[in-house]
């Protein structure tokens, strides 16, 4: 990202931070396995440079903003949404660039949970005479942007958003399986905007057999080139038809078929159609272990995945405690019928006291529908400071040499 076309005046640190958050939002869904970070350089109350994290291997937000500011960075203040990195990864430490540019003061919001951060940016910058100020994430905007990255760093797996559309009486299809369309056109466009921000879409083979979807991102006149996430189909025995749309070589993007014991000839046929076949452990019932599948995607560098499968797949994620966020589109219609399915199957819980709790973040009217966005209450990556387990581990290692610090493979 280059410098802003105009140079806005910022009257406070909060205003400068808003510019940095806006820059981070522009690259959300384009930086994995790195987090989307925004930075602005402010001199005499004027924004002289702004930047956001570039795709892996490219410069981080701070470096982009400093380059945009040029000589004006000397003696200026840097506002950034995430603590500047202090270590060599694919790129040199951002703290080195900040020191070299002559920045006077650095203000950042969130602490970096990467285990390589060591004592943190404040220690490195402070030793160079730079003032460091920790800003408050007043409305949680920064935490929301960083949650997928924090989830993957803390657990090794990407953050899971479960999206579904249901009727007022809680059905995702009629008793005969008819489901098109529950929600309206405006809601369906919003789903494609969500697809544009994730690394992968997960469905079960039942969805492929029943709906034969393309699982692509379809947005006309979008403000940036659309992203077609990796398509992941859970297909334990390799039942997916070879003429399924997700295997069409003309489709943008790529497809993974996750199996447990698919026949070798079937796996070869799927690979011949362009899919990547991945054999994973089973869950005891012969189905793909969803936790193992998420770990595989985490090793690939995925920060955020969208679960669009049917009730059976959603139930597997729910039972494993692997749903971090829910986007529920509720349409003002009813279908009734005892055989009509709800959005989440699986074993579930036996007592209401054991129900999984979510914090409602957003309620919005979209056309005739209502969208409810909720975060898993137990997921620490949604909180302002996230999960600083690696920082705590580093501190423990300083006092106990026997503590092992696990290295991170990304930057």
């Amino acid at each position: 990202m280059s410098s802003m076309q105009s140079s806005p005046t910022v009257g406070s640190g909060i205003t400068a931070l808003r510019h940095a958050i806006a820059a981070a939002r522009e690259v959300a869904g384009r930086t994995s396995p790195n987090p989307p970070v925004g930075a602005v350089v402010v001199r005499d109350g004027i924004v002289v440079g702004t930047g956001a994290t570039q795709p892996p291997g490219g410069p981080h937000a701070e470096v982009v903003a400093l380059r945009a500011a040029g000589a004006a960075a000397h003696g200026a203040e840097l506002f950034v949404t995430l603590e500047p990195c202090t270590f060599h990864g694919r790129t040199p430490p951002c703290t080195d660039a900040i020191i070299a540019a002559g920045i006077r003061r650095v203000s950042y919001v969130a602490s970096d949970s990467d285990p390589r951060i060591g004592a943190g940016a404040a220690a490195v910058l402070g030793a160079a005479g730079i003032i460091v100020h920790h800003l408050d994430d007043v409305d949680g905007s920064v935490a929301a942007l960083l949650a997928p990255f924090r989830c993957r760093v803390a657990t090794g797996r990407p953050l899971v958003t479960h999206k579904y559309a249901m009727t007022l009486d809680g059905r995702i299809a009629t008793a005969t399986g008819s489901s098109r369309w529950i929600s309206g056109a405006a809601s369906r466009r919003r789903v494609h905007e969500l697809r544009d921000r994730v690394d992968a879409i997960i469905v079960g083979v039942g969805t492929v057999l029943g709906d034969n979807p393309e699982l692509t991102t379809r947005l006309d006149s979008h403000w940036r080139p659309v992203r077609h996430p990796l398509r992941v189909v859970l297909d334990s025995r390799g039942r997916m038809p070879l003429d399924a749309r997700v295997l069409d070589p003309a489709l943008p993007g790529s497809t993974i078929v996750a199996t447990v014991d698919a026949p070798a000839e079937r796996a070869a046929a799927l690979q011949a159609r362009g899919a990547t076949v991945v054999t994973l452990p089973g869950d005891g019932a012969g189905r793909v272990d969803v936790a193992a599948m998420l770990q595989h995607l985490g090793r690939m560098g995925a920060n955020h995945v969208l679960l669009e499968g049917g009730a059976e797949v959603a139930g597997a994620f729910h039972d494993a405690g692997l749903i971090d966020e829910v986007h529920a589109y509720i349409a003002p219609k009813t279908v009734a019928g005892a055989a009509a399915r709800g959005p989440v199957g699986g074993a579930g819980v036996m007592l209401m006291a054991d129900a999984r709790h979510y914090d409602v973040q957003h309620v919005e009217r979209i056309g005739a529908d209502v969208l409810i966005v909720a975060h898993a209450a137990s997921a620490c990556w949604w909180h302002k400071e996230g999960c600083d387990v690696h920082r705590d581990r580093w501190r423990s290692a300083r006092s106990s040499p026997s503590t092992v610090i696990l290295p991170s493979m990304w930057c």
Side-chain angles (χ1 to χ4, degrees):
M1 180 180 292
S2 61
S3 62
M4 300 177 72
Q5 293 181 351
S6 59
S7 298
T9 300
V10 292
S12 68
I14 294 298
T15 304
L17 177 59
R18 288 190 183 121
H19 284 282
I21 293 173
R25 284 181 175 142
E26 288 187 4
V27 296
R30 300 295 189 274
T31 64
S32 294
N34 294 331
V37 178
V40 295
V41 179
V42 177
R43 185 184 179 93
D44 299 325
I46 303 294
V47 174
V48 294
T50 185
T53 307
Q54 298 304 291
H60 292 188
E62 300 95 319
V63 173
V64 177
L66 291 170
R67 289 175 181 173
H74 190 81
E77 183 170 3
L78 175 69
F79 291 83
V80 61
T81 57
L82 179 66
E83 177 181 11
C85 65
T86 61
F87 49 86
H88 280 270
R90 294 182 181 179
T91 60
C94 289
T95 48
D96 285 0
I98 293 168
I99 294 168
I103 287 289
R104 175 183 61 85
R105 176 183 170 112
V106 173
S107 298
Y108 69 86
V109 178
S111 298
D112 192 345
S113 55
D114 192 296
R116 296 169 293 176
I117 197 70
V124 175
L125 297 174
I130 297 173
I131 301 168
V132 179
H133 180 57
H134 196 178
L135 297 170
D136 189 22
D137 186 13
V138 177
D139 62 358
S141 295
V142 174
L145 283 165
L146 295 176
F149 169 75
R150 284 171 159 171
C151 176
R152 198 261 303 153
V153 169
T155 67
R157 66 165 179 86
L159 183 144
V160 177
T161 294
H162 181 206
K163 182 279 303 178
Y164 57 87
M166 70 178 186
T167 59
L168 281 177
D169 53 342
R171 267 61 169 192
I172 62 171
T174 67
T176 63
S178 174
S179 61
R180 292 193 176 181
W181 292 104
I182 294 175
S183 58
S187 293
R188 296 197 296 274
R189 177 179 173 83
R190 185 67 65 87
V191 170
H192 283 276
E193 291 173 354
L194 179 57
R195 287 183 179 183
D196 182 64
R197 301 195 303 272
V198 302
D199 300 309
I201 302 174
I202 301 172
V203 300
V205 69
T207 295
V208 174
L209 293 170
D211 298 336
N212 197 18
E214 292 184 352
L215 300 180
T216 55
T217 303
R218 297 182 293 279
L219 290 169
D220 296 329
S221 304
H222 197 40
W223 58 275
R224 63 180 179 180
V226 299
R227 180 180 194 181
H228 300 281
L230 174 70
R231 297 177 288 272
V232 180
V233 181
L234 305 181
D235 186 8
S236 57
R237 295 184 297 279
R239 295 188 294 141
M240 185 160 60
L242 296 179
D243 61 352
R245 288 177 179 169
V246 294
L247 298 178
D248 186 343
L251 283 184
S254 56
T255 300
I256 284 181
V257 180
T259 71
V260 175
D261 58 358
E265 64 277 9
R266 188 64 177 175
L270 290 168
Q271 289 174 328
R273 288 286 290 161
T276 299
V277 178
V278 177
T279 301
L280 295 170
D283 64 356
R287 302 167 302 188
V288 173
D289 185 296
V290 294
M293 185 269 299
L294 288 178
Q295 289 292 320
H296 179 82
L297 293 177
R299 290 190 293 272
M300 292 178 64
N303 283 344
H304 193 181
V305 299
L306 180 61
L307 176 60
E308 291 199 20
E312 181 179 355
V313 170
F317 277 82
H318 178 274
D319 291 344
L322 292 172
I323 295 178
D324 304 292
E325 181 180 44
V326 171
H327 284 222
Y329 292 84
I330 304 172
K333 58 184 72 171
T334 59
V335 296
R341 303 193 74 176
V344 184
V349 299
M350 299 298 105
L351 299 174
M352 188 57 66
D354 296 327
R356 301 198 184 280
H357 289 262
Y358 293 81
D359 296 324
V360 174
Q361 302 295 312
H362 180 71
V363 179
E364 179 184 359
R365 179 86 175 260
I366 303 178
D369 307 325
V370 173
L371 167 64
I372 298 177
V373 177
H375 294 166
S378 61
C380 58
W381 31 89
W382 293 115
H383 304 158
K384 289 181 179 181
E385 278 304 313
C387 312
D388 287 334
V389 292
H390 296 298
R391 181 72 62 85
D392 293 340
R393 185 181 296 159
W394 183 88
R395 289 172 179 150
S396 298
R398 295 282 289 180
S399 59
S400 174
S402 62
T403 301
V404 176
I405 303 177
L406 299 178
S408 174
M409 58 187 291
W410 300 287
C411 177

